[in-house]
Amino acid sequence: KAFEFMTGNFFKLAEADSVCSDNSGSGPFDDSTNNGSAEAENEEGGFKIQPCMARLAELALRMIHIKSLLPPSSIPPTPIHHVRHHDGDSEDEENDVEVTFTSISHTYAQYQRRCLRTRSKQVISNLVDLRRLAQSQKCFVSDILEVERRRQQLELTG
């Protein structure tokens, strides 16, 4: 029962979408839910989510390993979990997945990819804006960044 509980909750949380109160929409449960600031969440008495997800994955993997050490006659059937896969732009597929080392590792890797994609959206948007500005001014992005860096240095010293 503990095995089913642990692995079932790992799959549910790794595949779940958080609903953020800000305008970033939904994405995976992640540390950066307050406008990309993990520090803001932790200052409010929150906790970091990614280490918890890593620990859940580790516990699920350990339970699979312990189960593999038991005599075959005492092992209950391996549970099957209904898992939603996030594969980029394609529709989310729903599959029944047997709990194995591979399925846990694959699900955790997908969770990490989703976190990285969610975090990088704002950075990519800023880069697109910089490229548009550079194109309109007929210069390089590095030139705009250099001017901004110098402006910030003058603000600090002046």
Side-chain angles (χ1 to χ4, degrees):
K1 297 236 178 207
F3 177 76
E4 290 179 33
F5 177 78
M6 178 61 64
T7 57
N9 282 316
F10 167 73
F11 280 115
K12 286 177 188 173
L13 290 172
E15 295 291 331
D17 287 333
S18 65
V19 178
C20 300
S21 59
D22 60 8
N23 294 329
S24 64
S26 65
F29 288 115
D30 191 9
D31 295 338
S32 60
T33 56
N34 294 329
N35 295 323
S37 173
E39 291 79 20
E41 181 176 318
N42 292 328
E43 288 173 5
E44 296 170 6
F47 57 91
K48 290 195 172 201
I49 296 170
Q50 282 198 318
C52 294
M53 293 300 291
R55 184 68 176 147
L56 270 175
E58 179 186 358
L59 289 172
L61 291 170
R62 284 185 181 201
M63 293 183 90
I64 292 170
H65 176 71
I66 290 169
K67 186 177 174 184
S68 71
L69 299 175
L70 297 174
S73 61
S74 66
I75 299 175
T78 303
I80 305 287
H81 292 284
H82 194 63
V83 176
R84 185 178 57 172
H85 293 286
H86 300 275
D87 293 329
D89 296 331
S90 66
E91 287 290 320
D92 293 343
E93 295 179 17
E94 295 185 6
N95 296 321
D96 290 334
V97 175
E98 186 176 347
V99 178
T100 62
F101 283 111
T102 305
S103 65
I104 295 287
S105 300
H106 179 72
T107 301
Y108 184 70
Q110 280 188 328
Y111 164 76
Q112 288 295 336
R113 274 193 295 275
R114 290 177 60 218
C115 288
L116 288 172
R117 284 182 186 143
T118 302
R119 288 180 181 183
S120 64
K121 283 180 183 177
Q122 184 62 41
V123 174
I124 292 170
S125 175
N126 291 342
L127 181 58
V128 167
D129 292 343
L130 274 173
R131 286 182 177 169
R132 284 185 190 141
L133 180 62
Q135 187 177 19
S136 71
Q137 294 182 4
K138 297 184 176 154
C139 64
F140 296 106
V141 172
S142 59
D143 297 335
I144 294 171
L145 292 174
E146 182 62 26
V147 168
E148 180 63 21
R149 186 185 64 80
R150 286 182 185 165
R151 186 189 65 77
Q152 289 177 358
Q153 284 180 341
L154 287 174
E155 283 180 3
L156 290 175
T157 58

